[in-house]
Amino acid sequence: MRIQVGIIGAGPAGLLLSHVLNLEGIGSVVLEARSRDYVESRIRAGVLEQGTVDLLTQSGLGARMAQIGLLHRGIELRFRGERHRIDFPSLTEGKSVMVYAQHEVVKDLIAARLAAGGDLRFEAKVDGLDGIDTAAPSIRYTQHGAAKILDCQVVVACDGFHGIGRTAIPSERLRVYERVYPFGWLGILAEAPPSSDELIYARHDEGFALFSMRSPTVSRLYLQCPADVDLGDWPDARIWDELERRAEIPGGWPLARGPVLQKGVTPVRSFVAEPMQHGRLFLAGDAAHIVPPTGAKGLNLAAADVRTLSRALVRWFRTGNEDLLEAYSATALRRVWQAERFSWWMTSLLHRFDETGPFGQRIQLAELDYVTSSQAAMRTLAENYVGLPFAD
C-alpha cells in the first residue's frame, strides 16, 4: 500500500496530525504497537494551553472537552505558609488553560478518525524504516504475526522517547541535549474531590508538591521524591500526611482524602534532539523532546509540533513548495526551547535541590517573593503557562 503520510504512534501527536491532515484532504495511516484499549487508558497529565484548546476546537474536537473539561483561570503558588494566586486572564489579555486528561483527548481523536474512515492500525509493531533519504520512504511493520510494508511519501515519527523513529536518523546528524534531575514525582490518582478549584504549586523545605485534578470527583496529586524511591515505603496514609504538610498554611486547610486508585513515580528530565527532521522523516512530540512536568508543556508541545508540521505538509502537497517543510525543525525547536526554559525555571523555583543547601533555599524564597509581588514577573509566568503565541 502507498499513502501520502505514514505516522508511527497513536498518541496525541500522531492522531492529531492524522486528523488535521484528513481535514485538508491528505491521506495517512497510523501505526500503533499497542492495542486500542491500552492507548485509550494511558493516564497522562492534561493541562491544555489556550492555543491547544483553540486548535482542538477549530478542528472539530472541542465538544466533549467543553462539556467535561475544567476551565482554569489561574494557579496558586504556596510557600512559607502563604497563598498567592496568579490570575491568567488579567495578565494575558483573557487567556486561560483547560484541565482535560490526555486519554480523553486520545479518545476524542480516535473516535473522530474512525468516524471519518481513518486508517488506524493497532497492534502494529514497527520494525524499521527504509529510504528516508529518498522520495519513496517505507515503514516495515508486523501486525498479528504478518510482516507488512507501508510505502509513503513522508514518514512522521510520533512514537515517544523510546520509539524507533529517532534512531533512524544517522547518529552523526543527531545532537542530543539532556538533563536528568536527581528526583522524581510520586504521583497518586485518588477518588477524592479536588481540594482547590485551581492547581496548587507548593514549595516546601522538604520538597515540592502539586495538587491537580482530573474531574470534580478525582484528584491527581504529586510529591517530590528521590529518583530511586521505594513505593513500599510510602503507604497511602504517609502520602496524604506529607501532601498536607507541604502545603500547610496557618489554620490548616481542608485536604480532601480518598481511596488511592493509582500510584507511581514519574522521572523528571529535560531532553531535546536536533534536528527534528532528516530527509523525508520528521519527528514530533516526545520522540523529539521531553520536558519536566512542572511547566505542563508535554502534550502542548506535541500539539504545537503538529500545527507547524501539518501546515508545512499541506503547502507541500498542494503546491510543491518545500520552504515550510525544510524549516520545520528550526521553527518547532524555537518553541521547544522556550518551553524547556520555562519548565526548567518552574522546576528550579519550586523543588528542593540538596546540592544548593540553605543558600539555594533562600534564593528560591527570594525569587518567589519577587514573582508574586511584581506585575511584570507574574505576567511572564502567566504568559508562558497559558502558552506563548505561535510564530506564524
Side-chain angles (χ1 to χ4, degrees), residues 74-318:
I75 59 172
E76 180 180 316
L77 299 179
R78 195 172 289 194
F79 61 97
R80 207 194 288 113
E82 304 168 356
R83 305 170 64 178
H84 301 269
R85 184 173 183 270
I86 307 297
D87 183 78
F88 294 154
S90 65
L91 296 164
T92 64
E93 299 181 346
K95 294 181 181 180
S96 57
V97 297
M98 180 76 74
V99 174
Y100 190 57
Q102 178 171 307
H103 68 280
E104 302 294 355
V105 175
V106 167
K107 288 179 184 177
D108 293 343
L109 284 163
I110 289 177
R113 292 304 298 120
L114 294 179
D119 193 339
L120 307 182
R121 304 183 187 182
F122 294 99
E123 300 179 78
K125 179 182 177 296
V126 173
D127 301 310
L129 306 179
D130 298 309
I132 59 173
D133 290 313
T134 74
S138 61
I139 306 173
R140 288 179 283 109
Y141 69 100
T142 303
Q143 187 179 35
H144 308 311
K148 303 181 181 183
I149 295 177
L150 179 67
D151 294 319
C152 329
Q153 291 177 264
V154 168
V155 176
V156 183
C158 307
D159 51 348
F161 181 74
H162 298 289
I164 196 172
R166 189 176 65 250
T167 65
I169 298 178
S171 58
E172 65 272 15
R173 286 287 319 279
L174 197 66
R175 187 166 185 178
V176 168
Y177 303 86
E178 185 173 21
R179 178 180 181 182
V180 178
Y181 289 84
F183 47 74
W185 280 15
L186 195 167
I188 61 170
L189 192 69
E191 190 177 327
S195 299
S196 170
D197 292 336
E198 297 173 338
L199 275 67
I200 299 173
Y201 286 78
R203 182 265 172 210
H204 190 275
D205 285 348
E206 296 302 314
F208 167 73
L210 173 62
F211 299 80
S212 181
M213 64 284 293
R214 288 293 173 266
S215 75
T217 59
V218 177
S219 293
R220 187 71 165 163
L221 308 107
Y222 298 94
L223 289 169
Q224 179 185 350
C225 64
D228 58 351
V229 67
D230 183 349
L231 287 177
D233 294 333
W234 284 87
D236 296 353
R238 182 185 176 190
I239 293 174
W240 286 115
D241 289 346
E242 189 64 17
L243 284 165
E244 190 164 13
R245 187 166 76 96
R246 293 192 189 182
E248 60 188 356
I249 54 176
W253 70 294
L255 174 61
R257 304 189 182 203
V260 174
L261 306 175
Q262 291 183 6
K263 185 189 302 185
V265 177
T266 300
V268 179
R269 64 148 54 95
S270 301
F271 175 89
V272 180
E274 297 185 6
M276 292 172 58
Q277 63 190 98
H278 177 75
R280 291 289 180 89
L281 169 66
F282 299 84
L283 309 180
D286 288 358
H289 42 72
I290 301 287
V291 290
T294 327
K297 294 301 174 196
L299 189 154
N300 295 293
L301 273 184
D305 290 347
V306 167
R307 185 181 185 276
T308 301
L309 182 56
S310 63
R311 291 183 171 205
L313 288 170
V314 168
R315 175 179 286 190
W316 180 56
F317 279 117
R318 286 183 178 172

Side-chain angles (χ1 to χ4, degrees), residues 371-384:
V371 168
T372 54
S373 61
S374 163
Q375 193 77 0
M378 283 189 284
R379 180 173 290 109
T380 296
L381 192 161
E383 286 177 345
N384 281 270

